[in-house]
Amino acid sequence: MMQFYPGNKTGGIPGLFGDPYYWWESGAVFGSLVDYWAYTGDSSYNPTTSEAILHQVGPDKNFMPPNQSQSLGNDDQCFWALTTMSAAEKKFPNPPEDQPQWLSLSQAVFNTQAARWDPGSCGGGLRWQIIALHSGYSYKNTISAGCFFQLGARLARYTGNATYAEWAEKTFDWTHNVGLATADHRFLDGAQAPKNCTDINRLQWSYNAGMYMAGAAYMYNFTNGAEKWKTQIQGILNGTLQDFFTKAPLSPEGIMYEVACEPYLTCNVDQRSFKAYLSRFMALTVKMAPFTRDTIMPALYTSATAAAKQCSYGEDKNTCGQKWYTNEWDKLWGVGEQISALEVLLSTLIDTLDQPVTQAKGGTSKGDPGAGGGRGITYTGNNGHGGVDGWVNSKGEFVPHTPNKKDKVGSIILTVVTVVGVLWMLWWMAV
């Protein structure tokens, strides 16, 4: 996997894999390296991992680096937050005191995303893209809501703060109420906000199922085994095994595959990594909801065995293919294939890990409940806040932000810069 990483080479940017890999997948890779350290004890990648994560936090320390603004979605930002959440839970070595800490980074992302909760269409939810000018802004996708749901559930468990759990449950219920999650525990891709989410795209992706499964497992743990979450976990698990594990010869448990594209070799660069997250989240589910172990582990063992057999290709004889259920190489390779094989292999070691720590039991990462704070989020008329900056609390109440002197000065500077830029552009066009 790391043979594809240019970030620690001359001219490379820490934390970025570069084309054709989007920024979010880089965040997922370093989440895998946090897992790798926790499972194996091998710390050789730790300096690279810490450097990469901290280089991408952005000026507001909430994983919104300006150089990623053209493709920055809520799901992209949240994947980095799940990486830092794993770092806090697994006691990955903390950053220096003068750097943002793992827990505070996860809290900052949660706060900025809670402020984007959009009750003006579809009854709530998060839009895919963050910036209104981007085409994906009109789309409310399940992975953005799912990642926010899981992040909230994990923050609730780690900090003991029930407000995070309230947001998590609200998001989970919204996904079902709007129809992006079905009564038989399937998770669909998304829908258009301007159509009030009536035109649901019914494609299913493995990482959606995994994201909600693990989120429900964290809620199950946080609520000391509430029946609602046990029922949801079991239903999601049953649907996942039915839909994303093909029954290959001699493997009654089935072998993991991406049903919507893998059999047809049409998976794009992103989709070729999705099995990594399903593996990761199924392993987390075992840890948070032990009653699932006897069902999940055989499927992970079978898939890991199949994946290992698909990782002996290429000139280095260590290149992985995409289709684990076949006996020959499909000639596909890249970060997605490598991270998927890595995560499913690591997941078979889940019994060797201690329970993820919390602030009250073993955690050392420092938090900041006000990090991010929902600042700088401009609502449009589409969601009924009249373009006023503010925060939406877990009850759905809009709390307007009152600008302070610093905010006003910054706004004036931004306005002046914008006006000057427009005038310069008009002059340039005239010339």
Side-chain angles (χ1 to χ4, degrees):
M1 182 177 71
M2 293 304 286
Q3 288 179 357
F4 293 91
Y5 180 57
N8 53 9
K9 299 175 183 176
T10 302
I13 301 174
L16 298 185
F17 275 77
D19 291 338
Y21 305 105
Y22 284 106
W23 178 70
W24 78 271
E25 192 169 342
S26 299
V29 164
F30 293 106
S32 290
L33 289 181
V34 170
D35 288 349
Y36 171 76
W37 166 79
Y39 280 114
T40 68
D42 179 4
S43 61
S44 58
Y45 290 105
N46 287 10
T48 296
T49 301
S50 293
E51 176 191 45
I53 296 172
L54 295 174
H55 197 81
Q56 295 299 319
V57 300
D60 295 325
K61 300 178 178 59
N62 60 2
F63 291 116
M64 292 186 65
N67 63 341
Q68 297 300 323
S69 61
Q70 291 304 307
S71 61
L72 184 59
N74 280 303
D75 50 349
D76 302 33
Q77 183 193 24
C78 191
F79 257 89
W80 284 89
L82 292 185
T83 289
T84 52
M85 199 68 238
S86 291
E89 292 173 340
K90 293 179 169 67
K91 296 180 70 173
F92 189 76
N94 290 320
E97 288 291 330
D98 62 343
Q99 297 291 315
Q101 302 298 298
W102 306 136
L103 178 58
S104 68
L105 285 166
S106 296
Q107 290 172 309
V109 171
F110 179 89
N111 289 341
T112 59
Q113 296 207 345
R116 298 184 194 122
W117 186 263
D118 174 26
S121 61
C122 311
L126 290 174
R127 292 172 181 263
W128 176 23
Q129 293 292 304
I130 294 172
I131 299 174
L133 294 176
H134 293 168
S135 59
Y137 185 77
S138 66
Y139 198 60
K140 291 193 174 180
N141 60 348
T142 304
I143 191 60
S144 293
C147 197
F148 181 62
F149 160 62
Q150 188 186 122
L151 180 61
R154 292 171 74 168
L155 282 169
R157 180 184 177 275
Y158 192 94
T159 66
N161 187 338
T163 300
Y164 292 121
E166 291 171 9
W167 269 106
E169 185 163 13
K170 173 182 176 176
T171 305
F172 184 88
D173 291 346
W174 173 82
T175 309
H176 285 75
N177 293 338
V178 80
L180 294 180
T182 68
D184 60 353
H185 308 284
R186 268 56 173 197
F187 295 88
L188 313 179
D189 186 72
Q192 291 290 333
K195 296 184 179 180
N196 207 34
C197 294
T198 57
D199 61 336
I200 294 175
N201 180 339
R202 303 192 69 83
L203 279 176
Q204 295 184 61
W205 303 107
S206 63
Y207 75 157
N208 275 325
M211 188 72 77
Y212 279 87
M213 187 192 306
Y218 271 88
M219 289 297 289
Y220 173 81
N221 184 281
F222 179 73
T223 58
N224 296 312
E227 190 62 31
K228 170 181 178 175
W229 298 112
K230 184 175 183 179
T231 300
Q232 291 295 337
I233 294 165
Q234 192 62 62
I236 297 169
L237 176 56
N238 292 343
T240 298
L241 292 175
Q242 182 175 338
D243 293 345
F244 298 107
F245 286 78
T246 183
K247 300 299 187 287
L250 305 180
S251 56
E253 296 85 5
I255 295 172
M256 191 181 299
Y257 78 126
E258 197 62 49
V259 64
C261 60
E262 190 175 304
Y264 322 108
L265 295 179
T266 58
C267 297
N268 64 26
V269 171
D270 288 346
Q271 294 153 9
R272 284 155 64 176
S273 73
F274 285 178
K275 288 182 294 186
Y277 322 123
L278 177 57
S279 301
R280 180 190 299 179
F281 297 144
M282 289 180 75
L284 284 178
T285 299
V286 169
K287 214 64 185 173
M288 291 293 103
F291 72 88
T292 63
R293 186 191 183 284
D294 291 345
T295 303
I296 288 178
M297 293 312 297
L300 290 178
Y301 281 127
T302 301
S303 295
T305 302
K309 293 177 181 178
Q310 276 291 326
C311 285
S312 300
Y313 299 103
E315 293 182 1
D316 61 358
K317 302 301 180 184
N318 199 34
T319 297
C320 304
Q322 184 184 66
K323 291 183 175 182
W324 298 343
Y325 53 88
T326 62
N327 294 320
E328 58 184 24
W329 189 26
D330 49 26
K331 301 289 177 35
L332 293 172
W333 69 89
V335 173
E337 286 75 14
Q338 300 302 122
I339 189 178
S340 293
L342 172 63
E343 282 283 4
V344 74
L345 288 165
L346 290 175
S347 71
T348 65
L349 302 175
I350 189 63
D351 287 338
T352 69
L353 288 189
D354 293 332
Q355 194 82 343
V357 300
T358 66
Q359 253 179 346
K361 295 183 178 180
T364 61
S365 186
K366 294 181 179 178
D368 178 4
R375 298 286 294 277
I377 307 302
T378 301
Y379 288 95
T380 68
N382 292 336
N383 53 25
H385 299 312
V388 177
D389 289 352
W391 167 267
V392 180
N393 63 27
S394 62
K395 297 179 181 179
E397 299 166 340
F398 180 70
V399 180
H401 164 60
T402 303
N404 56 30
K405 183 176 180 181
K406 181 179 177 182
D407 295 326
K408 292 177 180 177
V409 171
S411 178
I412 292 170
I413 292 173
L414 181 60
T415 301
V416 170
V417 170
T418 302
V419 171
V420 170
V422 171
L423 292 175
W424 179 87
M425 182 178 67
L426 292 173
W427 173 83
W428 181 84
M429 292 174 66
V431 171

